[in-house]
Amino acid sequence: MNVLHAARRRVAQSLYALLRRAAPAVYAQDGLMSVHSHTFMEDPAFIEAYARGVKAIGGVDSYRWHWRIHIGLWAANVASRLDGDFVECGVNRGFLSSAIMTHLDWNSLDRDFYLLDTFAGLDSRSLSDEESKDPTLRKNAENLKSGFYVKGADSVRANFAQWPRARIIEGAIPDTLVQVTAQRIAYLHLDMNCAPPEIAALSYFWERLEPGAPVLLDDYAYFGYLPQKLAVDKFARERGVAVCSLPTGQGLIMKPTLPAGR
Ligand SMILES: C[S@@+](CC[C@H](N)C(=O)[O-])C[C@H]1O[C@@H](n2cnc3c(N)ncnc32)[C@H](O)[C@@H]1O
């Protein structure tokens, strides 16, 4: 890990821990400090879903992604009122998708949840010019080395075995997109930490997204992922849609219910 980056991370984490000790009512983790209400963390349904996400990554919450998961569960709830299947591009061990499937009692729904990943880190063929120059490749190597990125799909299949309609698709996006046979999509989550496959997936699924369907972009505004934000902003401008930039670092697009210009 680049020394400056590692030092910055350590300083931030110490600051969060200090703040949480001094003022337990403050939310301080994962790049976000806030005095606003986060009582969703006390909701038993949230606690159960979050715990299933933690189980997916091995049982220890090294992420502290509570507010991000809260947003993901909210988007999934909105999507559950629409027709269509769910798609996640960038699954890793399945933290968010496991939380969602628990939260929505997935086996009680008549839907597929397509889960696409290389399960081997990013595909170096798909880096943008900007990303080839920035730390994307280095971060990917670190994530594989530290075990943050899963290597191989076996443990992931085992994690999702309780949900027969979890459709795991292994391989690099965009090559694997054709394997998603869903014609109507109610929920799309993009989390590949890399702009070209995210834009490829967004373009590929755009027409199949139901009006009102949420598209959640995990790294849209996150520190260190500017190429993704620029690429998504261009995509959104071309289609006349707005991206909501969230303080969690996520971005959110709602597929318009009316054609552009109305
Ligand atoms: C940050 S992780 C996803 C985290 C996950 N959403 C969760 O809830 O824990 C990013 C994932 O994107 C995957 N990935 C990156 N580039 C990819 C590509 N071109 N095709 C498929 N998967 C890719 C990596 O293998 C990695 O598992």
Side-chain angles (χ1 to χ4, degrees):
M1 186 177 287
N2 158 319
V3 180
L4 190 63
H5 182 70
R8 210 187 278 140
R9 231 180 117 95
R10 271 200 303 279
V11 169
Q13 277 164 357
S14 313
L15 190 62
Y16 299 151
L18 198 68
L19 251 172
R20 287 199 300 268
R21 254 202 310 280
V26 173
Y27 183 95
Q29 59 193 50
D30 189 24
L32 173 62
M33 286 184 257
S34 175
V35 293
H36 298 316
S37 170
H38 44 284
T39 50
F40 60 81
M41 285 173 68
E42 293 154 27
D43 175 359
F46 175 84
I47 292 171
E48 188 194 358
Y50 193 88
R52 184 61 184 81
V54 171
K55 186 175 171 211
I57 61 165
V60 178
D61 185 11
S62 47
Y63 293 10
R64 300 191 71 98
W65 274 0
H66 297 81
W67 216 311
R68 274 203 241 193
I69 298 300
H70 169 62
I71 302 282
L73 296 180
W74 173 84
N77 261 310
V78 169
S80 71
R81 308 294 171 97
L82 306 172
D83 285 330
D85 295 314
F86 283 31
V87 179
E88 179 174 68
C89 299
V91 178
N92 199 20
R93 298 175 194 277
F95 191 111
L96 178 57
S97 40
S98 300
I100 287 175
M101 291 171 99
T102 299
H103 197 59
L104 296 181
D105 187 11
W106 197 259
N107 288 341
S108 72
L109 305 182
D110 183 22
R111 293 173 196 259
D112 291 316
F113 201 138
Y114 292 89
L115 299 160
L116 290 79
D117 203 300
T118 60
F119 302 110
L122 65 75
D123 174 13
S124 53
R125 291 173 305 169
S126 63
L127 288 176
S128 65
D129 290 348
E130 204 51 43
E131 286 167 331
S132 306
K133 282 181 251 141
D134 84 3
T136 303
L137 268 178
R138 179 182 49 76
K139 279 193 257 180
N140 180 63
E142 283 161 12
N143 287 335
L144 284 167
K145 192 166 167 218
S146 70
F148 173 63
Y149 279 178
V150 74
K151 280 187 234 158
D154 290 351
S155 62
V156 183
R157 288 187 197 283
N159 174 64
F160 287 103
Q162 74 182 88
W163 297 295
R165 293 191 65 178
R167 311 278 183 212
I168 295 175
I169 298 180
E170 187 177 354
I173 292 173
D175 304 351
T176 51
L177 292 173
V178 289
Q179 294 179 45
V180 179
T181 51
Q183 291 309 308
R184 305 176 80 176
I185 294 168
Y187 166 91
L188 178 62
H189 184 220
L190 300 177
D191 186 7
M192 289 181 278
N193 297 359
C194 181
E198 296 208 358
I199 297 302
L202 193 48
S203 309
Y204 188 81
F205 293 126
W206 186 250
E207 290 308 322
R208 291 195 225 172
L209 280 162
E210 287 290 295
V215 178
L216 189 58
L217 307 146
D218 188 68
D219 306 298
Y220 173 76
Y222 211 85
F223 175 78
Y225 295 92
L226 186 61
Q228 275 167 267
K229 181 177 187 301
L230 297 177
V232 170
D233 283 343
K234 179 170 179 289
F235 176 94
R237 253 194 324 275
E238 286 166 2
R239 283 154 188 85
V241 294
V243 188
C244 179
S245 185
L246 298 168
T248 50
Q250 294 158 299
L252 181 64
I253 299 175
M254 305 301 282
K255 176 78 186 290
T257 51
L258 292 173
R262 290 283 309 273

